[in-house]
Amino acid sequence: MAKKITGPQLILANRLDDGRAVFLTAAGAWSKQVAEAAVANSEEELTGLLSVAQAAEVSNQVVSVTPVAADVSGDAVAPAHIKFAMQSKGPSVRSDLGYQVSPNWE
Amino acid sequence: MYAYDTFDHAMVNARVAEFRDQVERRMTGELTEEEFRPLRLMNGLYLQLHAYMLRVAIPYGTLSADQMRKLAHIARKYDKGYGHFTTRQNIQYNWPKLSETPDILQELADVEMHAVQTSGNCIRNVTTDQFAGATADEVADPRPYAELIRQWSSFHPEFSFLPRKFKIAITGAKTDRAAIKWHDIGLVVKENDEGEIGFEVLAGGGMGRTPVIAKTVRDFLPVQDLLSYLEAMLRVYNEQGRRDNKYKARIKILVEAMGVEEYARQVEAEWEKIRHIPIDVPEEEVARIKAFFAPPPLAVLADDVPAVDELAGKNFIFKAWLANNTGAHKVPGYANVTISLKPHGGIPGDASDEQMDLVADLADTYSQSEIRVSHEQNLILPHVAKKDLPELWQKLDEAGLGTPNAGLLTDIIACPGLDYCSLANTRSIPIAQTITERFDDMKRLMDIGPLKIKISGCINSCGHHHAGHIGILGVDRKGTENYQILLGGSGGEDASKAAILGPGFDEDGIVDAVEKVVAVYLGEREEGEEFLAAYRRLGPDTFKEAVYGAH
Amino acid sequence: MALINLTGIQPTEFEVLADDASPSEGATVAVPLARLLEAEEAFFKSAGSVGAIIDTETSYDALAAVADKIAFAVIDFPAFGDGRGFSLAVRLRKDYAFKGEIRAVGPVIPDQALFLLRAGFDTVDAADERKAAFEAALERFPAFYQTDFGGQVSVAHTRHSAEGQRKAS
Ligand code: HEM
Ligand code: SF4
């Protein structure tokens, strides 16, 4: 069943093991870098991405799968809402922690 | 301090083994996330925005130096080198791995600590006065009773799946530093006319979207009836608390709906039926537990220490620290020292592993190896000899732990907010940082006097904004962060609910609003009148005009 | 479905009586509590043995009318987090001195095995693949902080008995 969307969406989740925020890529993998997130521009595309994401939930790779509105400008993509933007970076009060330090921050 | 016996060790170790098994079953998928969630919550493990969060209990806020060192070690080894002390006498780690939490819990168990029931719909960590057993103003040390409740409520077969979370707080002092009236059950240790110790029992307090101040259910409950009475209170709630709507599931809603008289009647009726079943513990057990909390053997010392006065005469900051961060001890010649975790511009309640290690060392040297954690997110060294105060302050100050602001405007409670929390509307910490930077003048702060600012990033009220003299609540206004200002709340024995003053502000506007509110107070106060008293006398209008009128 | 036996009781074999059916002579039937509350003496007499199916909306007062007429009780959890089921079992044991089998049905999970036992349940209906986990969970805790209605005595008491003092030291 297609989900109603009003603009581009991306899929956010947390890894089951370490809880780190991750984004679903077009290849069906999970990346720490929002730049690699797959963007759904239609309800059909979103449904497709969600089914991949939910399969990863069922196979215990990720939890808390959430489709979120994305801001896309040119090649750049970021979650539109501040909460999800925070997840793509790390705590704003600790610039020494999170993906804001480096894309592969552990 | 309480020390585990083989039974306590066996149970906490069993719990760790159980959780290890549950984590394994979750990783293999034998447990679904839906099934695992309440199990992990009952072990203090949340999922936040960036990672898991582990909430470790500091029962009744008392820690040994060795336990503090273990907390530092965990921060270093399994986390990112810091922890966050919370309003419920817990510490939270923000980056643990699910697969490593069983190891963390085992390390905690090794020093007689745990994360049992720090979350979930069960009876949570029992909280109390951070000065318990050391303050001059108490009837009796409440911690032996808190320990009794801790044991009785741990792994309770009937009350582990309540309608909602359940928080109990207890105070033994006349000044309520544990916000007991804001708890599901509040207990006040008191002495009756016959000189017997017992409790006033209150129920139905809570914050969240429906703030309610607890009401008295029973004026005097003898000590020996404590657990059977709590059992009756919990049973009535477990049976009749709402389960259809989680926002109406706390006991405060039940007590409001049935009326406190009817709730009390049902509790008393049930208690009459069970008070002779051995739910309560034998007298020897109360005595055994009490013995662990015997006051430390402190030799009476001179209360006047010339060296202290001398330094205070020369150094304004030390003088301010003495006035704000030290309090009267039961024994002459001693003080209880509050270590502020609220450096101006810093993150309220956060401490690094090095700071935790340092506090542990200082506790070994100056405070009988004992440390306390307050609901105001500070640390306390109890039982410090007054003559040691100058030396202690210097060591604290060097480590950034000497901020002399306990109880003042910059001693702000703030929840983690949107920097960490997945339920948040707004950030909380940056507001605290901006306010403390704006008010970074000790002379001005001392002049303003006692003023409690409390900030929550959403209506769940983890930052106690309903109980703030000035409360700040983050709301989502069309996807942007917006902050409401509330005035007149109190978490003390004169508990009151703060009221919203008017429309919200952005990040800068809210700090300006705080400044305007403080200016009104300074202009209107009478001789010696503190902020809360002035607000109660003046009412909101004068403040409203100053904050909104100029537009 | 597997039947998990917590207490070692002889489990009751029963049929759930259809809504409009009457029990056949001598049968062992489980019947929704609401229906039992309306039932005449004859209903109880004709069946061999009657058990009540109790949902978690049931107020414990309602148990008073049937507690001495039923041979077993089936407490139906709509969700494993619905803790009222535990209090219902406690009420049956404590307020009505109910001695028959109490069974838990519904989505209770293995991690609740000891809670169920200690609240007064005897048996649990569980998915076959969960039997082992239920049995493992029963063995988990060596001692308890509460005196319960399943016969366990709180360590607060055992600590001060001769036996307990030997163990604690
Ligand atoms: C970061 C993850 C956290 C989450 C997900 C969380 C969640 C919640 C929720 C949902 C409530 C409302 C419960 C209700 O009204 O029934 C609540 C209340 C509360 N939380 Fe938190 N919280 C978090 C962190 C904290 C922290 C860091 C503290 C201490 C500083 C804290 C202390 C409290 C307190 C004191 C309340 C109010 C209790 C009351 O309603 O009576 N929480 N929390
Ligand atoms: S008050 Fe809201 S934002 Fe703050 S920690 Fe609690 S749930 Fe999160």
Side-chain angles (χ1 to χ4, degrees), chain B residues 415-418 421-426 428 455-463:
Chain B
C415 78
L418 196 49
C421 173
S422 53
L423 304 175
N425 291 323
T426 68
S428 305
I455 310 174
S456 305
C458 80
I459 194 62
N460 286 326
S461 327
C462 305

Side-chain angles (χ1 to χ4, degrees), chain C residues 4-5 56 58 76 111-112 132 151 163:
Chain C
I4 316 294
N5 196 332
T56 53
T58 306
D76 187 2
D111 308 86
Q112 293 175 310
E163 163 81 346

Side-chain angles (χ1 to χ4, degrees), chain B residues 46-48 53 55 84-88 92 94 164-165 167 182-184 205-209 246-247 250 252 377 413-417 420-423 459-464:
Chain B
Y46 281 80
L47 183 63
Q48 299 203 92
M53 178 271 276
R55 183 182 286 163
H84 177 74
F85 290 94
T86 80
T87 50
R88 296 215 73 260
Q92 297 185 172
N94 290 299
R164 203 73 183 85
K165 60 166 78 168
K167 302 179 177 181
W182 286 103
H183 282 73
D184 296 277
M207 300 200 189
R209 62 185 65 195
K246 77 172 186 170
Y247 300 113
R250 297 280 296 272
K252 63 190 176 189
Q377 303 181 285
I413 291 181
C415 78
Y420 295 96
C421 173
S422 53
L423 304 175
I459 194 62
N460 286 326
S461 327
C462 305
H464 284 196

